[in-house]
PDB file of all heavy atoms in Angstrom:
ATOM      1  N   TRP A 207      81.831  54.751  75.371  1.00 91.00           N
ATOM      2  CA  TRP A 207      81.171  53.532  75.881  1.00 91.00           C
ATOM      3  C   TRP A 207      82.124  52.640  76.678  1.00 91.00           C
ATOM      4  O   TRP A 207      81.706  51.946  77.598  1.00 91.00           O
ATOM      5  CB  TRP A 207      80.569  52.732  74.726  1.00 91.00           C
ATOM      6  CG  TRP A 207      79.294  53.309  74.243  1.00 91.00           C
ATOM      7  CD1 TRP A 207      79.078  53.938  73.075  1.00 91.00           C
ATOM      8  CD2 TRP A 207      78.044  53.314  74.929  1.00 91.00           C
ATOM      9  NE1 TRP A 207      77.770  54.353  72.977  1.00 91.00           N
ATOM     10  CE2 TRP A 207      77.102  53.962  74.102  1.00 91.00           C
ATOM     11  CE3 TRP A 207      77.616  52.825  76.181  1.00 91.00           C
ATOM     12  CZ2 TRP A 207      75.791  54.157  74.478  1.00 91.00           C
ATOM     13  CZ3 TRP A 207      76.286  53.019  76.532  1.00 91.00           C
ATOM     14  CH2 TRP A 207      75.390  53.671  75.697  1.00 91.00           C
ATOM     15  N   ARG A 208      83.424  52.636  76.344  1.00 91.00           N
ATOM     16  CA  ARG A 208      84.371  51.721  76.979  1.00 91.00           C
ATOM     17  C   ARG A 208      85.147  52.366  78.134  1.00 91.00           C
ATOM     18  O   ARG A 208      85.707  51.639  78.963  1.00 91.00           O
ATOM     19  CB  ARG A 208      85.363  51.211  75.940  1.00 91.00           C
ATOM     20  CG  ARG A 208      84.741  50.469  74.781  1.00 91.00           C
ATOM     21  CD  ARG A 208      84.040  49.184  75.244  1.00 91.00           C
ATOM     22  NE  ARG A 208      83.384  48.504  74.140  1.00 91.00           N
ATOM     23  CZ  ARG A 208      83.989  47.617  73.378  1.00 91.00           C
ATOM     24  NH1 ARG A 208      85.274  47.334  73.563  1.00 91.00           N
ATOM     25  NH2 ARG A 208      83.324  47.014  72.394  1.00 91.00           N
ATOM     26  N   ILE A 209      85.162  53.703  78.189  1.00 91.00           N
ATOM     27  CA  ILE A 209      85.900  54.360  79.272  1.00 91.00           C
ATOM     28  C   ILE A 209      84.991  55.250  80.114  1.00 91.00           C
ATOM     29  O   ILE A 209      84.922  55.079  81.348  1.00 91.00           O
ATOM     30  CB  ILE A 209      87.069  55.210  78.698  1.00 91.00           C
ATOM     31  CG1 ILE A 209      88.060  54.312  77.956  1.00 91.00           C
ATOM     32  CG2 ILE A 209      87.773  55.960  79.821  1.00 91.00           C
ATOM     33  CD1 ILE A 209      89.180  55.079  77.297  1.00 91.00           C
ATOM     34  N   THR A 210      84.303  56.207  79.447  1.00 91.00           N
ATOM     35  CA  THR A 210      83.518  57.187  80.193  1.00 91.00           C
ATOM     36  C   THR A 210      82.396  56.530  81.000  1.00 91.00           C
ATOM     37  O   THR A 210      82.288  56.743  82.227  1.00 91.00           O
ATOM     38  CB  THR A 210      82.918  58.223  79.232  1.00 91.00           C
ATOM     39  OG1 THR A 210      83.974  58.846  78.487  1.00 91.00           O
ATOM     40  CG2 THR A 210      82.181  59.287  80.019  1.00 91.00           C
ATOM     41  N   ILE A 211      81.562  55.727  80.362  1.00 92.00           N
ATOM     42  CA  ILE A 211      80.434  55.119  81.058  1.00 92.00           C
ATOM     43  C   ILE A 211      80.880  54.184  82.181  1.00 92.00           C
ATOM     44  O   ILE A 211      80.373  54.303  83.318  1.00 92.00           O
ATOM     45  CB  ILE A 211      79.512  54.385  80.062  1.00 92.00           C
ATOM     46  CG1 ILE A 211      78.860  55.393  79.120  1.00 92.00           C
ATOM     47  CG2 ILE A 211      78.457  53.591  80.783  1.00 92.00           C
ATOM     48  CD1 ILE A 211      77.968  56.393  79.799  1.00 92.00           C
ATOM     49  N   PRO A 212      81.844  53.251  81.970  1.00 92.00           N
ATOM     50  CA  PRO A 212      82.286  52.404  83.077  1.00 92.00           C
ATOM     51  C   PRO A 212      82.874  53.209  84.250  1.00 92.00           C
ATOM     52  O   PRO A 212      82.594  52.903  85.424  1.00 92.00           O
ATOM     53  CB  PRO A 212      83.331  51.491  82.447  1.00 92.00           C
ATOM     54  CG  PRO A 212      82.962  51.440  81.006  1.00 92.00           C
ATOM     55  CD  PRO A 212      82.443  52.808  80.691  1.00 92.00           C
ATOM     56  N   MET A 213      83.682  54.232  83.950  1.00 93.00           N
ATOM     57  CA  MET A 213      84.267  55.036  85.014  1.00 93.00           C
ATOM     58  C   MET A 213      83.236  55.899  85.742  1.00 93.00           C
ATOM     59  O   MET A 213      83.432  56.308  86.880  1.00 93.00           O
ATOM     60  CB  MET A 213      85.391  55.898  84.473  1.00 93.00           C
ATOM     61  CG  MET A 213      86.581  55.122  83.907  1.00 93.00           C
ATOM     62  SD  MET A 213      87.484  54.224  85.184  1.00 93.00           S
ATOM     63  CE  MET A 213      88.187  55.547  86.112  1.00 93.00           C
ATOM     64  N   MET A 214      82.149  56.208  85.040  1.00 93.00           N
ATOM     65  CA  MET A 214      81.120  57.066  85.627  1.00 93.00           C
ATOM     66  C   MET A 214      80.009  56.282  86.310  1.00 93.00           C
ATOM     67  O   MET A 214      79.038  56.873  86.788  1.00 93.00           O
ATOM     68  CB  MET A 214      80.517  57.963  84.533  1.00 93.00           C
ATOM     69  CG  MET A 214      81.436  59.043  84.031  1.00 93.00           C
ATOM     70  SD  MET A 214      81.625  60.359  85.228  1.00 93.00           S
ATOM     71  CE  MET A 214      79.971  61.067  85.203  1.00 93.00           C
ATOM     72  N   THR A 215      80.112  54.973  86.337  1.00 93.00           N
ATOM     73  CA  THR A 215      79.036  54.130  86.884  1.00 93.00           C
ATOM     74  C   THR A 215      78.675  54.505  88.330  1.00 93.00           C
ATOM     75  O   THR A 215      77.479  54.650  88.624  1.00 93.00           O
ATOM     76  CB  THR A 215      79.428  52.655  86.808  1.00 93.00           C
ATOM     77  OG1 THR A 215      79.644  52.293  85.427  1.00 93.00           O
ATOM     78  CG2 THR A 215      78.320  51.780  87.387  1.00 93.00           C
ATOM     79  N   PRO A 216      79.614  54.710  89.249  1.00 92.00           N
ATOM     80  CA  PRO A 216      79.208  55.116  90.619  1.00 92.00           C
ATOM     81  C   PRO A 216      78.466  56.438  90.642  1.00 92.00           C
ATOM     82  O   PRO A 216      77.489  56.613  91.392  1.00 92.00           O
ATOM     83  CB  PRO A 216      80.551  55.205  91.365  1.00 92.00           C
ATOM     84  CG  PRO A 216      81.491  54.354  90.593  1.00 92.00           C
ATOM     85  CD  PRO A 216      81.078  54.520  89.165  1.00 92.00           C
ATOM     86  N   THR A 217      78.904  57.399  89.822  1.00 92.00           N
ATOM     87  CA  THR A 217      78.236  58.702  89.787  1.00 92.00           C
ATOM     88  C   THR A 217      76.828  58.580  89.200  1.00 92.00           C
ATOM     89  O   THR A 217      75.889  59.206  89.694  1.00 92.00           O
ATOM     90  CB  THR A 217      79.073  59.706  88.956  1.00 92.00           C
ATOM     91  OG1 THR A 217      80.405  59.709  89.431  1.00 92.00           O
ATOM     92  CG2 THR A 217      78.494  61.103  89.047  1.00 92.00           C
ATOM     93  N   ILE A 218      76.701  57.804  88.128  1.00 93.00           N
ATOM     94  CA  ILE A 218      75.388  57.602  87.516  1.00 93.00           C
ATOM     95  C   ILE A 218      74.450  56.921  88.510  1.00 93.00           C
ATOM     96  O   ILE A 218      73.265  57.290  88.628  1.00 93.00           O
ATOM     97  CB  ILE A 218      75.522  56.771  86.230  1.00 93.00           C
ATOM     98  CG1 ILE A 218      76.299  57.563  85.182  1.00 93.00           C
ATOM     99  CG2 ILE A 218      74.143  56.379  85.675  1.00 93.00           C
ATOM    100  CD1 ILE A 218      76.620  56.763  83.935  1.00 93.00           C
ATOM    101  N   PHE A 219      74.980  55.928  89.242  1.00 94.00           N
ATOM    102  CA  PHE A 219      74.145  55.230  90.220  1.00 94.00           C
ATOM    103  C   PHE A 219      73.694  56.177  91.331  1.00 94.00           C
ATOM    104  O   PHE A 219      72.543  56.118  91.756  1.00 94.00           O
ATOM    105  CB  PHE A 219      74.940  54.048  90.794  1.00 94.00           C
ATOM    106  CG  PHE A 219      74.130  53.229  91.786  1.00 94.00           C
ATOM    107  CD1 PHE A 219      73.128  52.395  91.330  1.00 94.00           C
ATOM    108  CD2 PHE A 219      74.413  53.283  93.143  1.00 94.00           C
ATOM    109  CE1 PHE A 219      72.387  51.645  92.244  1.00 94.00           C
ATOM    110  CE2 PHE A 219      73.682  52.548  94.057  1.00 94.00           C
ATOM    111  CZ  PHE A 219      72.658  51.708  93.593  1.00 94.00           C
ATOM    112  N   LEU A 220      74.583  57.051  91.803  1.00 91.00           N
ATOM    113  CA  LEU A 220      74.219  58.019  92.827  1.00 91.00           C
ATOM    114  C   LEU A 220      73.106  58.929  92.341  1.00 91.00           C
ATOM    115  O   LEU A 220      72.096  59.122  93.038  1.00 91.00           O
ATOM    116  CB  LEU A 220      75.443  58.858  93.222  1.00 91.00           C
ATOM    117  CG  LEU A 220      75.167  60.079  94.106  1.00 91.00           C
ATOM    118  CD1 LEU A 220      74.650  59.648  95.464  1.00 91.00           C
ATOM    119  CD2 LEU A 220      76.409  60.943  94.238  1.00 91.00           C
TER     120      LEU A 220
END
Side-chain angles (χ1 to χ4, degrees):
W207 283 108
R208 301 296 178 88
I209 298 177
T210 304
I211 294 298
M213 295 294 292
M214 289 287 292
T215 300
T217 308
I218 294 173
F219 182 72
L220 170 66

